[in-house]
Amino acid sequence: DLYVEMTFLRTMEEYGLECSIRQAGIDFANSGYPLWCANDAGRKNLRRGIAPPDSSHPRFNRCPNDIDYQIEADFSGLIAPGLPQAAVDLGEKFGRLMNYGDGVYAGQFMGALYAEAFFEEDIHRIVETALQAIPAESQYAEMARDMVAWHRADPGNWQAAWQKCQQKYRLNKEYQKASNGGIDCKINGAYVLMGLLYGAKDLDQTIVISCRSGMDSDCNPSSSAGVLFTTLGFSKLPVRFNTGLNEERVFSHTAYNFPRLLDVCEKLARQVVAKYGGRVEKDAAGEEFFVIPVAVPKPS
């Protein structure tokens, strides 16, 4: 899943933040890694000549509400500190290659979680900001509101909330349309929030709860941990979380190893901050600071 969003980063690195959805589609179509679900359907459509955003439309794609863009949208918040609108806009460009409707909103919501996590530690406030980034009438927004309400009502019992999720978002067919069931973005998004809310900012419990909730249980704890860890910052993570990776090996089918990935993310973050009205300043000692405007995001 990571190599997909590295493809998106590469497109922006080579063609700029204003790259077209057409260019994003060309680069995704030319990728060489294996894919599944909405990703696979979207890429096959692109290769058949169905141009984006039609490559994700339910007329051509049987699984537009699958989890795919949700698990590939981390980049859109990590290069947009404090700028959830950027995550919304990037979702319209990259999320529309393979997802549609709730499938896109899921990624925009995830990107907005990351963007807000740079400057906020309270999970409820982070979720409230991310909700502003997607249409309030969407089923995905309904799911997020449910998770917040269930947590406020019974913050010590994640398993009770899990049962409610199963009844509403797994067994009720009204919430399973145009998806592949267990990898629907809503049920898996619920389990990301399950870890974030009920984990109570404990790093291990956040991961454990999102994993034990099930469904796409490799991706969901990765998402919940990613957002929570962003609230802390790399330097404050326990050693077991920020050591041990061979940083020089190149990620398969990409142009990046770990240091190169950090470089391109910082480069793009500087561009995003400038595009959305911010700037970079230096203090008397020469240390740089991002000056970032606070703005309420406008949903797609």
Side-chain angles (χ1 to χ4, degrees):
D1 305 315
L2 290 174
Y3 46 46
V4 177
E5 50 189 316
M6 292 184 205
T7 300
F8 304 156
L9 290 169
R10 184 65 169 172
T11 297
M12 289 187 286
E13 182 182 24
E14 291 194 305
Y15 299 99
L17 289 180
E18 304 304 326
C19 62
S20 66
I21 191 173
R22 179 179 184 274
Q23 186 61 56
I26 290 170
D27 292 347
F28 186 49
N30 288 334
S31 61
Y33 34 72
L35 289 173
W36 298 267
C37 306
N39 276 332
D40 183 49
R43 187 172 69 176
K44 283 178 177 175
N45 283 338
L46 292 166
R47 290 175 174 178
R48 290 169 182 151
I50 301 173
D54 286 344
S55 54
S56 65
H57 194 280
R59 179 181 175 186
F60 307 107
N61 187 328
R62 66 180 178 84
C63 42
N65 290 331
D66 283 0
I67 194 177
D68 301 64
Y69 188 58
Q70 176 171 286
I71 62 177
E72 295 152 2
D74 315 70
F75 81 98
S76 68
L78 289 170
I79 64 170
L83 294 166
Q85 186 64 53
V88 173
D89 297 342
L90 289 167
E92 280 298 303
K93 187 172 296 183
F94 295 101
R96 291 294 299 277
L97 300 179
M98 77 295 288
N99 282 104
Y100 184 90
D102 275 326
V104 175
Y105 305 148
Q108 291 170 320
F109 180 85
M110 195 61 56
L113 288 177
Y114 272 101
E116 184 67 9
F118 280 94
F119 297 102
E120 179 60 67
E121 295 182 358
D122 185 282
I123 300 301
H124 279 277
R125 291 179 182 171
I126 292 172
V127 174
E128 287 167 5
T129 296
L131 273 168
Q132 295 175 326
I134 62 174
E137 66 273 22
S138 65
Q139 286 187 347
Y140 198 90
E142 180 181 354
M143 174 278 295
R145 291 193 298 267
D146 280 343
M147 292 303 300
V148 168
W150 294 338
H151 177 254
R152 289 193 187 281
D154 191 3
N157 191 350
W158 71 267
Q159 292 173 328
W162 185 88
Q163 293 287 353
K164 293 177 181 177
C165 283
Q166 288 291 297
Q167 288 297 319
K168 183 171 183 177
Y169 292 103
R170 186 78 176 95
L171 301 178
N172 186 336
K173 299 304 179 185
E174 288 301 309
Y175 293 90
Q176 289 295 313
K177 294 177 180 178
S179 76
N180 285 327
I183 53 169
D184 179 77
C185 62
K186 294 181 292 297
I187 190 68
N188 287 284
Y191 294 156
V192 172
L193 293 178
M194 191 85 75
L196 280 170
L197 292 165
Y198 289 88
K201 296 197 280 190
D202 180 288
L203 305 185
D204 294 294
Q205 279 301 106
T206 296
I207 294 168
V208 166
I209 291 171
S210 285
C211 185
R212 285 186 60 195
S213 292
M215 300 301 130
D216 206 349
S217 59
D218 58 333
C219 299
N220 299 333
S222 300
S223 297
S224 59
V227 172
L228 179 61
F229 287 18
T230 302
T231 68
L232 296 174
F234 187 85
S235 64
K236 295 181 181 178
L237 293 178
V239 171
R240 68 184 185 281
F241 289 120
N242 63 16
T243 57
L245 180 69
N246 181 341
E247 297 188 5
E248 297 307 316
R249 288 190 63 183
V250 175
F251 292 97
S252 299
H253 301 281
T254 80
Y256 305 119
N257 62 12
F258 194 66
R260 177 91 178 86
L261 190 60
L262 297 182
D263 288 344
V264 70
C265 285
E266 181 182 340
K267 173 185 173 183
L268 291 171
R270 290 172 178 272
Q271 295 175 25
V272 170
V273 168
K275 176 181 177 179
Y276 287 87
R279 61 188 185 277
V280 180
E281 293 184 353
K282 288 186 178 181
D283 63 13
E287 185 175 358
E288 290 185 320
F289 294 88
F290 285 6
V291 181
I292 297 171
V294 176
V296 177
K298 181 181 178 181
S300 296

